[in-house]
Amino acid sequence: MRRVSPSHGARGMLTRCAIGLVVLAATGCATLSVPEEQQLADRFEADIRRQHRMVTDQVIVGYVDRIGRRIVAAAGPQPFAYEFSVVDDPEINAFAGPAGMIYVHTGTILAARNVSELAGVIAHEVGHVAERHIAENYGKQRAAGIAHTAAVLGGGLLAGSVGANAANLATGLGLTGILNSFGREAEREADDFAVHVLPRAGYDPVGLPSFFETLIAEGGPSGPTFLSSHPAPRERLATTRTAIDDLELPPDLRRDDGGKLEIIQRRIELLTGESGPRRRDRSR
Ligand SMILES: [Zn+2]
């Protein structure tokens, strides 16, 4: 499940763009190439693991990984080998990193009412990677000459975490937030990707709008990640429902997985002491 290194032999290109990053000038590398995005991923992962506590339990991580792999397999040939990780964080959220790095919070797993909801969230994040939104985001930020963004990216990616942390403190923006600050169009594309790939992976696509309902009820996360403010979640809920209505779906799509999700949820509760919104409601 580890990401494999790119075998593109593109060291020269990496070096050229690395120089461009250091100089922080638009040097013709407006959008990241696949090998460049892979290089960004290595730095990003180190940064993420310093900032977040990751779940190491292989039963939990393996469960999310298997769902993710079904989705990636259904998406067809991909430029990256994906890696699915679980962040020990009770906030309902998920985010994508460069080159197929997908992170799902334990809060999301606990809040899912069935496996199709969790699959919906994961498929949305896979959509951001597959549609190359991370690479586009990076290119847009740099092209706009946003100095603090460039400083965060340049510092974090090439000079190690010290520069990035200093820049993050100054701007209040982390690398995750910057790379996941998707616009309206990108969010729509990722939702649309999810709606179409989920049935091919055997999951009921209704899981995605269904999870939006939970997010709305819970207030959603505060950061620019899974539940971004544009478009509004209610609009995304309506748009995805309409898109699903237009699909001809096979009758045997899975919504539940025979109690496996519930076992994983109990395991998370035991390991972390967290509990999902419905369990909390019951124990009040
Ligand atoms: Zn998104």
Side-chain angles (χ1 to χ4, degrees), residues 139-218:
K140 273 185 214 155
Q141 299 270 1
R142 189 169 49 180
I146 299 170
H148 67 252
T149 301
V152 171
L153 291 171
L157 301 175
L158 293 162
S161 67
V162 177
N165 289 343
N168 289 355
L169 284 174
T171 62
L173 278 173
L175 188 56
T176 318
I178 289 164
L179 293 177
N180 276 263
S181 296
F182 302 118
R184 174 178 283 260
E185 197 52 41
E187 293 301 349
R188 278 217 188 97
E189 274 180 20
D191 284 345
D192 200 54
F193 175 95
V195 161
H196 287 90
V197 82
L198 284 165
R200 294 204 297 272
Y203 294 109
D204 189 337
V206 171
L208 183 62
S210 170
F211 195 74
F212 284 141
E213 290 171 357
T214 297
L215 278 166
I216 292 164
E218 291 295 314

Side-chain angles (χ1 to χ4, degrees), residues 94 124-125 128 133 180 182 186-187 190-191 224-228 236:
H124 173 93
E125 298 303 331
H128 279 310
H133 292 158
N180 276 263
F182 302 118
E187 293 301 349
D191 284 345
T225 44
F226 179 73
L227 185 67
S228 64
R236 288 172 69 185

